[in-house]
Every structure is written in structure tokens, then in C-alpha cells.
Amino acid sequence: MLNIIKKEIRELLTPASIASMVVVAVIFALVGQMVGSPMNEITEKPSIGVVNQDEGLFSQTAIAVINENAEVLYLGEDRDAGWEKVQEKGIALLVIPEDFSSSILEGRPARIEVNWLLKGTGLMDNISSVAVTGLIQMINTSISEELISGGIEIPPEVALSPVGLSETVFLKDKVIPGVSPEALSGLLISQSVTIPIVIMMMVIMAGSTVISSMGLEKESKTLETLLSLPIRRRDIVIGKLAGSAAVGLIMAVIYMLGFNYYMESLTVSSSIDLGALGLSLGMGDYLLVGLSILLSLFAGLALCLLIGTFARDYKNAQTLIFPVTILAMVPMFLVMFKDFGTLSLLLQVILFIIPFSHPMMAMRALMFDNYVLVIGGIAYLAVFSIAITLVLTKIFSSDRLLVGWSWPKRGAKA
Amino acid sequence: MNALEVKNLVKDYGNTKAVKGISFDIAEGEIFGLIGPNGAGKTTTLRLVATLLEITSGSIKVFGIDAVKDPAGVRKIISYLPEEAGAYKNLKGRQYLEFIANFFGDGKEKEEILRRGVQIAGLGQRLDDKIERYSKGMLRRLVVARALMVEPRLAILDEPTAGLDVLHAQEIRRIIKDFVRSGRAVLLSSHNMLEVEFLCDRVALISEGMIVERGTPQGLKERYKRPNLEEVFVEVVG
Ligand SMILES: Nc1ncnc2c1ncn2[C@@H]1O[C@H](COP(=O)(O)OP(=O)(O)OP(=O)(O)O)[C@@H](O)[C@H]1O
Ligand SMILES: [Mg+2]
């Protein structure tokens, strides 16, 4: 029995499979770090600008609280100057309006205007907003204490909660009033979570079928039979790709339906609709998204078929699926947590090169009219697909598939 | 015209020289057998003729068509049965035959191919079972039927009856013998000397990638004064 165990382990634990396990571990560690860091950001002071247009008493209380609990980039009366500072490295511009103190004294709740500067809609792009919301809460408490200890006579509900906030989100060149960053990202959750997950699953499922079917075809010699039939090599390659692409699309639709249902049951239906925010997509946009999905699937499967040509048999093929899994998971995590625009240049390049990233990013990019990214991605995918298909046709026309990829001194029996 | 002309055929797998310059030809209507010990280069030779492997040097002509210059042309008139060939397990036997027949014709033509396939396979009701439930011999009959039903001008059969019981092996031999009439030809390899004696018009004995003896089974037996081919084989190779 020990013998059998040893054999199994030797078969499954090849350098390739160990390497891919290491990569998976590293990715998870990195993701953990990435997710971990915004948590730290909350305890850090938020960087904000403050415009004070009120000359009354309470604005001074508010500013004192802000000074203590936030990194103040700008404090003055000029909105534009403040916004400029915020754009450099801040997340929000707070505006204390002229009637701030007077309305509290008159027994009406006052409002602080919060202008959010959102860089992206990934899960990690908006998490720091919590710190600012907390700040407003603290201002509220301080002024409330002052009101009560000062014995100023105003309605109790105002005394307990004298300050409200009115929010506006500035995202790229869109201005979205009356929305908090959280609400917005909740609304866009299908773009930031559902689509990447569905695409990842589709790629892994369809990709692994292609790779293991190559392994199986080699093992059962059906590939030999197929290659001896009067069929053009290109047709074999395209036939295999198109067949598995169709299966992939069907799986994607099923996942999408299931996932949407799951998401809908989680998120409370929001009163904000995307159309009103100027975020809805037109017919042309959906065509682009569809094209992106289709091409990425095709490119991905071509890549998998190429990987599959290295498979010696069915079992060996299983270990070759790992790299594809990684290629599908990296963009999924990146796209889920960050917008393309907020990534470092290196990550942007990596994301662009991996064919699976493009459909994951497409819908969100189109909402914010980033046509360059989407159309550039589609062009890249088309070139990628054609190149790999040509390479594949070459391989299928040679005897590599049967002889195996023999490196010097090592001949593998097909 | 010869059905097959092989001249100075050489195949190297990297550093391994599997076939080291062999020449032979097959006439129309002839069954030609390659015999030889394991690893002699039989399968390699058959795969070269079937255009699956790239030739290192030498030439192959199938009914006058050059296998290097026009492999697609060769594939139209041959049929290759790999040793230990499998079939798509999730299909039923009949579906597999249909899948192959689709590449060779449509309508009436396809029906005719399929009818021959069903007849050669002789699997009866079991033809509508999933292939994964077939025994080794049933699978072999299915793939032999697959190879012969399209009536190729040259059939290349690698150990066609390996794994078959005596009755079914005989049946397949009879089918091959019938098949070769009307201008067709067969190139096969086998480890069964009885089969080779019964089937082949001529044989070539290869060892370590070279042809070491050739002739008709009868002629070889006479030359070595042995009662059967098996003893000739042992004397030549052993
Ligand atoms: N893909 C390959 N890479 C390297 N060497 C190979 C490969 N395929 C076959 N060989 C070698 O070529 C030689 C001939 O093999 P081949 O399969 O043609 O023998 P065979 O006569 O069919 O044997 P058998 O009777 O066992 O089927 C052997 O030494 C074998 O190891
Ligand atoms: Mg062999």
C-alpha cells in the first residue's frame, strides 16, 4: 500500500504542481495584505479639505473636532482652492455652509456638505469613507454636548442630532448627488463582484475541460485517429475552441442567473437607479461587453488548448490546469478590489496582458465612458486569439502532439 | 500503380533512431504485414505512412501521392487504426461511427458508410450502449469497424486483432481479407504469427528499425526450413 501512496504522490506532486501551489499561496497572501491595508486606513486619520463659510460658534467646534481627528489639507473659505488640495491626495472636501450655526440656534438641523472624491468603484476604492462619516458623527456629538450643557433651548431631536450631512460623489467626470460612496458601490456590486466571479468560473471550467480533453484524447489515442482523418488542421483547432467556447458561454449564463439571484436576495433594492445617475449602459455598450466576453473566452481557451498540448495524459492534464486557475484569479481579485485607473502601472500592465481581465473590467469602464480601455482590450484580445490560433494550427500540423515536447536528453513517449 | 512505396525511410525521435532506412512497397489488392519484436519500429513506420509523424528522411508515396508534399491528399484515401485505440467514451457506439462518417460524406453516402460500420462492428444491440461500458474486445471491434467502413484505398492497421477472442479475431481477419479486393490494400502489424500467415500476401520482418527479412510466408518457411512463421521469427530475430 505504501507503494501505491508513493506512486500517487509522485504523479501528483510534480515540480509544476508544486510551483502552482506556491503561486496560489503567494496570491492569497498578497490579497490578504491588500484587504488588510484599508482596515488600517480606517484607524488612520482621513485626509480631507475643509471650507468654512460660517462665522458662528458651532463651526469652530466642528473645526476643532476635525483638526483633532483628521489630516486637514486645506482650511479656508475658497471652495475651488480646497477641491484642488483634495484632488492631490485627499478623499473628501467638507463644506460648512454659511447658515450652519444660525440654523442650529433657530432649532433646525444644520448640514455639512461632504463632497467625496472617489477614484474608483472597486471594493477597496471607497472603504476609507467610513473614517469621514465617523468624523461627522463626532462633530454631531460635540455640538450636541455643547447645546445641552449650554442650556440652549431648542427642540430635543435637534439638540441630540444637530448636524446632518448632504453627500455628493465625484467619480471620474461624473457628479452624483445624494449618494454615499457605500451606496454607490453597493449599487455597482454586480460590476465589481458578480461579473469578475462569473468570468473567473467560466474560464476555469471551460479552460479545464479543454486541457483535460487534450490529455484524454492523447491517452485514448482518439487524437491520433482524428489527425489521420481528412480534416484540415485549422478546422480541428477552431472546432475544439468553438465547441468549448459554446459550453463556456452556457455555463456563464447559468452562473450569472444564479449569482444575480443570490445577490438580489442579499442587497436591499435601492431607491437610486443607475439611469438617473448617468451610469446606465446603451445598446452599443452591451455589444462591446458581449464582444469582450466572447473574445476573452476564445483567447483564454486558445491559451488552454496550447497548454493542453503539453499534457501527456489525463492525469498530467489536471496539473496543467493550475496556471489557468491562477491567471483567472489574479484579475478577478484585482478587478474586484480596485479600478483599473487606481492600480499601479505594473499591475495595470499585468491586468491588461491577462486576457481574462478585459470582460471583468468592461462594464464598469463603459459606465464611466472609458472606451479606450474597452476597445483597446478588444483589439488586444483579437490579436491574441489570432496569434495563438496560428501557433496552434502549426503545432497540430507538426508531429509535436504525438511525439511530445522533448527537451534535450529527455524524450517523452506520446 | 503501387498502393504504397516506401523508400529509405528514416525517423529519429530526438536521439532515438526508431526507423533506420527501410524500403518496401505494396501492390494493389495486397495485404502486407510488418512483424518484429517490441520496439522494432512497426508503429513508428505505420504512423509515418499515416502522415501523423514528420519524416526525418526518405519518401512515402500512397497511390502516387507524396506523403510529405500532400499529406492532406494522402489522408483522403487512407484509414489508420492506432494500436490500443480508444473512442470518445461519452458517446454511444453508433454515435461514434456516425461522428466519423460525417467527415466522409453526407446523405446517402453517409448512410452507406454507417451501414457498413454497423455490420463490421457486429455489436448488435450493444451498439446503442455508451462506449465506456464496452469490454476491450467490443471497443476493438468498434474501432476496426470505424477504420474499415470508410473503404479507404489503403488501410493501415496496427495490431488489428489484439485483445480479441479467437472467434472475433477470425471474423475481423475475414473482413480484412474481403476488404482488400477491388483495388485496395492493407498495411498491418501483428504479433500473431498464425494471423500473419493466414492474412498476409507478403511480410517484412523488422528489428531495431531495419528490415532484416522479407518475402511471402510460404517462401520464408521454405527458406528457413521451418514448419511455421513463428519459428522463422525466432531464428531470424532471436
Ligand atoms: N515519442 C517517442 N519519443 C521517443 N522515442 C519513441 C517515441 N515513440 C517511440 N519511440 C521509440 O521508437 C522505437 C520504436 O517504437 P515503436 O513504437 O515503433 O515500436 P513497435 O515496433 O511498434 O513496438 P511494439 O511491438 O511494442 O508495439 C522504440 O525504441 C521506442 O522507444
Ligand atoms: Mg507498436
Side-chain angles (χ1 to χ4, degrees):
Chain A
M1 193 181 75
L2 205 65
N3 240 344
I4 298 176
I5 296 173
K6 269 203 291 199
K7 169 192 150 285
E8 287 296 314
I9 290 177
R10 205 173 312 134
E11 265 169 26
L12 294 175
L13 226 56
T14 61
S17 72
I18 293 173
S20 49
M21 278 187 260
V22 170
V23 175
V24 170
V26 170
I27 287 175
F28 273 108
L30 285 181
V31 168
Q33 274 220 318
M34 272 170 37
V35 179
S37 53
M39 302 303 167
N40 301 337
E41 274 173 36
I42 298 174
T43 53
E44 270 172 26
K45 295 177 171 182
S47 298
I48 55 173
V50 181
V51 174
N52 184 13
Q53 297 168 335
D54 178 36
E55 287 167 359
L57 198 66
F58 294 123
S59 66
Q60 294 311 311
T61 312
I63 287 168
V65 172
I66 292 171
N67 268 328
E68 198 172 315
N69 296 296
E71 176 87 28
V72 180
L73 302 170
Y74 174 86
L75 179 58
E77 285 164 28
D78 187 352
R79 228 175 223 274
D80 291 338
W83 191 238
E84 223 164 80
K85 285 276 181 220
V86 168
Q87 275 180 325
E88 274 167 27
K89 59 174 192 157
I91 57 167
L93 180 70
L94 270 50
V95 177
I96 304 174
E98 226 177 319
D99 62 349
F100 186 73
S101 300
S102 57
S103 58
I104 294 178
L105 287 172
E106 282 161 23
R108 284 182 285 114
R111 306 206 146 265
I112 291 182
E113 232 181 81
V114 182
N115 298 295
W116 297 103
L117 178 65
L118 212 57
K119 297 241 165 60
T121 52
L123 289 182
M124 266 176 60
D125 289 321
N126 50 56
I127 200 145
S128 45
S129 64
V130 177
V132 179
T133 333
L135 199 60
I136 304 286
Q137 208 46 55
M138 281 187 250
I139 294 174
N140 219 337
T141 315
S142 291
I143 295 180
S144 178
E145 273 169 12
E146 242 171 72
L147 285 171
I148 292 165
S149 65
I152 299 165
E153 266 183 47
I154 51 169
E157 64 274 14
V158 178
L160 284 174
S161 178
V163 182
L165 71 166
S166 75
E167 295 173 292
T168 307
V169 171
F170 291 81
L171 177 49
K172 292 167 194 172
D173 47 9
K174 304 249 181 219
V175 180
I176 308 157
V179 188
S180 71
E182 287 86 0
L184 188 65
S185 74
L187 212 62
L188 298 179
I189 198 132
S190 73
Q191 275 70 49
S192 42
V193 177
T194 317
I195 292 180
I197 290 182
V198 167
I199 303 257
M200 177 213 58
M201 301 232 261
M202 172 181 85
V203 163
I204 292 179
M205 301 297 267
S208 58
T209 352
V210 170
I211 295 181
S212 44
S213 113
M214 269 312 279
L216 200 61
E217 287 234 29
K218 281 193 185 182
E219 187 171 316
S220 68
K221 307 255 172 118
T222 48
L223 185 66
E224 247 172 277
T225 305
L226 203 60
L227 288 172
S228 72
L229 296 176
I231 321 168
R232 272 187 299 186
R233 272 41 191 155
R234 204 191 53 208
D235 292 353
I236 297 181
V237 171
I238 293 177
K240 278 190 173 296
L241 291 179
S244 42
V247 175
L249 281 181
I250 292 170
M251 283 193 290
V253 169
I254 293 171
Y255 283 138
M256 192 78 96
L257 291 178
F259 224 86
N260 254 345
Y261 179 76
Y262 169 73
M263 279 299 182
E264 258 165 38
S265 64
L266 279 187
T267 48
V268 198
S269 71
S270 174
S271 54
I272 325 158
D273 87 304
L274 292 174
L277 304 181
L279 292 177
S280 62
L281 296 181
M283 208 48 208
D285 292 333
Y286 278 112
L287 279 180
L288 283 178
V289 172
L291 195 59
S292 181
I293 294 178
L294 211 68
L295 275 174
S296 143
L297 185 61
F298 198 86
L301 292 175
L303 188 67
C304 290
L305 192 55
L306 188 61
I307 293 173
T309 62
F310 288 88
R312 265 163 302 173
D313 49 39
Y314 187 71
K315 211 163 192 172
N316 179 240
Q318 302 303 309
T319 62
L320 292 174
I321 292 167
F322 276 108
V324 179
T325 314
I326 290 159
L327 277 185
M329 300 236 288
V330 168
M332 180 195 71
F333 282 124
L334 286 179
V335 171
M336 240 157 91
F337 290 113
K338 286 283 203 179
D339 258 13
F340 188 75
T342 57
L343 289 169
S344 67
L345 185 65
L346 177 70
L347 286 179
Q348 281 187 345
V349 171
I350 292 176
L351 200 59
F352 196 89
I353 288 177
I354 299 176
F356 314 125
S357 326
H358 295 280
M360 296 182 182
M361 300 189 292
M363 201 176 264
R364 219 195 290 166
L366 288 174
M367 279 185 170
F368 298 101
D369 301 327
N370 190 351
Y371 285 96
V372 177
L373 179 62
V374 177
I375 294 176
I378 288 177
Y380 167 74
L381 288 175
V383 172
F384 186 96
S385 306
I386 292 170
I388 305 250
T389 308
L390 287 179
V391 171
L392 279 170
T393 309
K394 248 214 141 70
I395 293 175
F396 273 71
S397 309
S398 77
D399 59 9
R400 275 278 154 257
L401 288 177
L402 298 187
V403 176
W405 300 82
S406 48
W407 282 273
K409 280 204 277 179
R410 226 192 87 214
K413 195 165 168 15
Chain B
M1 195 196 317
N2 273 330
L4 177 67
E5 281 174 18
V6 173
K7 282 211 186 80
N8 300 318
L9 189 62
V10 173
K11 176 64 187 177
D12 300 341
Y13 294 111
N15 294 330
T16 324
K17 295 191 187 327
V19 173
K20 304 172 186 166
I22 63 176
S23 306
F24 62 92
D25 40 50
I26 306 177
E28 285 182 33
E30 203 175 25
I31 300 178
F32 190 93
L34 286 179
I35 55 177
N38 295 130
K42 302 180 295 296
T43 297
T44 304
T45 306
L46 298 190
R47 281 169 151 192
L48 285 164
V49 175
T51 74
L52 293 175
L53 296 180
E54 285 166 6
I55 293 172
T56 305
S57 71
S59 77
I60 295 174
K61 282 204 172 82
V62 183
F63 286 93
I65 302 172
D66 192 302
V68 176
K69 290 194 194 117
D70 185 13
V74 171
R75 276 176 220 132
K76 283 193 191 123
I77 55 170
I78 61 160
S79 184
Y80 170 60
L81 175 68
E83 60 184 337
E84 293 166 3
Y88 300 106
K89 290 204 167 60
N90 53 337
L91 295 183
K92 293 173 179 156
R94 190 185 301 278
Q95 290 172 325
Y96 178 66
L97 294 180
E98 212 172 324
F99 168 76
I100 299 292
N102 276 328
F103 293 116
F104 290 87
D106 36 38
K108 271 229 135 27
E109 216 178 339
K110 180 185 142 189
E111 290 306 315
E112 184 56 25
I113 292 174
L114 202 57
R115 193 194 54 75
R116 277 197 300 269
V118 170
Q119 192 196 347
I120 298 170
L123 288 168
Q125 299 276 303
R126 303 298 303 272
L127 203 58
D128 291 308
D129 270 7
K130 281 261 173 88
I131 292 174
E132 62 189 355
R133 300 216 197 101
Y134 284 12
S135 73
K136 184 164 95 179
M138 289 164 69
L139 177 64
R140 197 67 185 156
R141 279 155 65 190
L142 183 72
V143 292
V144 168
R146 187 280 295 164
L148 296 182
M149 71 179 181
V150 298
E151 303 208 309
R153 297 193 68 189
L154 174 68
I156 304 157
L157 311 173
D158 204 348
E159 304 184 23
T161 60
L164 293 185
D165 66 52
V166 178
L167 290 179
H168 284 115
Q170 264 184 6
E171 169 99 14
I172 294 289
R173 280 177 211 133
R174 201 185 43 70
I175 291 167
I176 295 173
K177 233 169 159 117
D178 281 349
F179 165 84
V180 88
R181 293 188 191 123
S182 67
R184 303 177 193 287
V186 174
L187 169 62
L188 61 79
S189 83
S190 178
H191 288 295
N192 182 337
M193 293 305 130
L194 270 174
E195 167 172 299
V196 173
E197 269 193 78
F198 168 79
L199 263 184
C200 298
D201 301 301
R202 285 188 301 136
V203 298
L205 219 164
I206 52 178
S207 173
E208 295 177 2
M210 283 177 292
I211 295 186
V212 291
E213 193 54 273
R214 66 176 86 211
T216 61
Q218 195 56 37
L220 285 174
K221 281 190 288 188
E222 280 166 14
R223 202 177 313 156
Y224 287 89
K225 300 191 174 56
R226 297 289 181 178
N228 58 47
L229 214 50
E230 196 159 296
E231 292 190 16
V232 174
F233 183 101
V234 172
E235 167 134 6
V236 175
V237 182

